[in-house]
Amino acid sequence: NGNIDEVAFWKTKLTLTDVQNIYNSGVPNDISDLNPISWWRLEQNTTDSGTGGNDGTLKNGTTYSTDVPS
């Protein structure tokens, strides 16, 4: 069992600096400057915030959690 949040895909690999800039605060920052092909923020919807326009549909009893890792 687990939770998934902020899923993204790129055409090229990210540099170490890119990854550090995203996660150093412990919470993912806005990644739009990194031009993800697809980026689902999963905040009560499955709209693709990337450039790919790959909106999704939630099925089979998807639930949302307010749990935040510490």
Side-chain angles (χ1 to χ4, degrees):
N1 292 336
N3 297 328
I4 298 175
D5 191 22
E6 300 281 336
V7 177
F9 293 96
W10 286 265
K11 284 186 179 181
T12 58
K13 67 180 180 178
L14 298 177
T15 66
L16 176 60
T17 301
D18 292 336
V19 174
Q20 289 172 333
N21 287 337
I22 294 169
Y23 288 104
N24 268 353
S25 68
V27 176
N29 293 315
D30 183 344
I31 62 172
S32 56
D33 289 346
L34 298 172
N35 298 313
I37 295 171
S38 292
W39 173 27
W40 300 277
R41 303 203 66 180
L42 303 176
E43 295 173 353
Q44 300 295 326
N45 66 59
T46 55
T47 301
D48 183 355
S49 298
T51 60
N54 297 303
D55 295 344
T57 303
L58 299 175
K59 292 187 174 186
N60 299 325
T62 303
T63 59
Y64 290 92
S65 173
T66 57
D67 291 345
V68 177
S70 56

